[in-house]
Amino acid sequence: GQNIDQPTEMTATEGAIVQINCTYQTSGFNGLFWYQQHAGEAPTFLSYNVLDGLEEKGRFSSFLSRSKGYSYLLLKELQMKDSASYLCAVNTDKLIFGTGTRLQVFP
Amino acid sequence: DARVTQTPRHKVTEMGQEVTMRCQPILGHNTVFWYRQTMMQGLELLAYFRNRAPLDDSGMPKDRFSAEMPDATLATLKIQPSEPRDSAVYFCASGPQGFEIYGYTFGSGTRLTVV
């Protein structure tokens, strides 16, 4: 079976750092995506991890541990515009999404 | 910027009617996904194609849903007959296999309401 878990909701303060976790159990694994989705809009690509370790892209970083079936997305220097849902997706050749984490950033 | 184009953006239809949603993937992208998104279920994979061949449609209710790629520039998702429980946002996404580092690109979606 395929199982991808993320927290449903998180809150944080502007300027802070937040870590969104994702655990997965899938039959097959080629890599893991993170997407951002603002309300009423389409998901947009943030990152793709294939190998273990941390990938940094500006304020956003993504970490993967294949042996633990675990990833996280780290958002630094939070801004109000970061309020959105963050979706973790596993590439098993097809793309399987978790249910997403809704992040609310408060002033 | 290259984009995935979905039509229509919004569709309201009566129960029992046929609905056709269209997707134009980005030129050169050989993998196309269809997803349905609801508040309760998140993004559910309905079907996907590679080089126009259907690889997996196990997520689709087979009795009423069908997905096709008549050519490389068009993917379609049909529902016949439609039911109120089909109300959702349907997304198409495309990408080039082997270049996932650049991500799969989503269209703007078709918001379907069945009354």
Side-chain angles (χ1 to χ4, degrees):
Chain A
Q2 322 277 30
N3 195 40
I4 302 171
D5 286 321
Q6 303 178 235
T8 303
E9 290 196 11
M10 298 183 71
T11 60
T13 306
E14 201 173 13
I17 299 172
V18 71
Q19 178 175 312
I20 303 174
N21 296 325
C22 171
T23 57
Y24 62 90
Q25 287 180 303
T26 56
S27 49
F29 180 88
N30 295 324
L32 188 142
F33 290 92
W34 283 97
Y35 277 80
Q36 180 190 60
Q37 186 177 26
H38 285 100
E41 297 182 9
T44 56
F45 170 71
L46 291 176
S47 66
Y48 183 62
N49 292 65
V50 175
L51 303 176
D52 287 359
L54 186 69
E55 299 263 353
E56 297 188 63
K57 270 189 187 181
R59 293 190 299 115
F60 292 7
S61 303
S62 55
F63 172 84
L64 176 66
S65 169
R66 294 177 65 140
S67 62
K68 295 182 179 177
Y70 168 67
S71 174
Y72 67 73
L73 181 69
L74 193 70
L75 291 74
K76 303 176 187 174
E77 301 169 14
L78 279 172
Q79 302 175 10
M80 297 296 291
K81 67 178 181 178
D82 298 329
S83 293
S85 289
Y86 291 86
L87 312 174
C88 159
V90 173
N91 178 12
T92 65
D93 190 62
K94 55 188 177 183
L95 200 55
I96 304 168
F97 280 84
T99 49
T101 299
R102 186 179 166 212
L103 174 67
Q104 294 186 72
V105 179
F106 294 99
Chain B
D1 280 344
R3 58 176 62 186
V4 176
T5 303
Q6 287 188 249
T7 56
R9 289 293 307 273
H10 302 272
K11 176 73 175 179
V12 179
T13 191
E14 291 185 347
M15 183 173 63
Q17 296 298 304
E18 177 178 301
V19 175
T20 299
M21 291 169 270
R22 294 177 174 81
C23 168
Q24 180 178 356
I26 292 172
L27 188 65
H29 284 188
N30 66 339
T31 304
V32 175
F33 297 94
W34 280 107
Y35 289 93
R36 173 170 63 184
Q37 187 173 42
T38 61
M39 290 293 290
M40 299 301 295
Q41 299 290 338
L43 273 168
E44 299 175 86
L45 179 64
L46 297 174
Y48 82 111
F49 296 80
R50 180 158 296 125
N51 299 319
R52 295 177 53 204
L55 293 188
D56 189 335
D57 61 1
S58 59
M60 285 198 316
K62 298 289 192 313
D63 57 338
R64 298 185 301 107
F65 284 59
S66 63
E68 296 180 345
M69 264 199 93
D71 62 62
T73 64
L74 178 64
T76 62
L77 181 66
K78 290 187 182 180
I79 308 175
Q80 169 62 25
S82 57
E83 298 180 1
R85 59 179 166 154
D86 300 330
S87 297
V89 181
Y90 291 80
F91 286 106
C92 167
S94 76
Q97 184 193 17
F99 293 89
E100 287 83 1
I101 194 70
Y102 300 108
Y104 286 99
T105 304
F106 279 75
S108 299
T110 294
R111 183 174 295 275
L112 174 66
T113 303
V114 183
V115 299

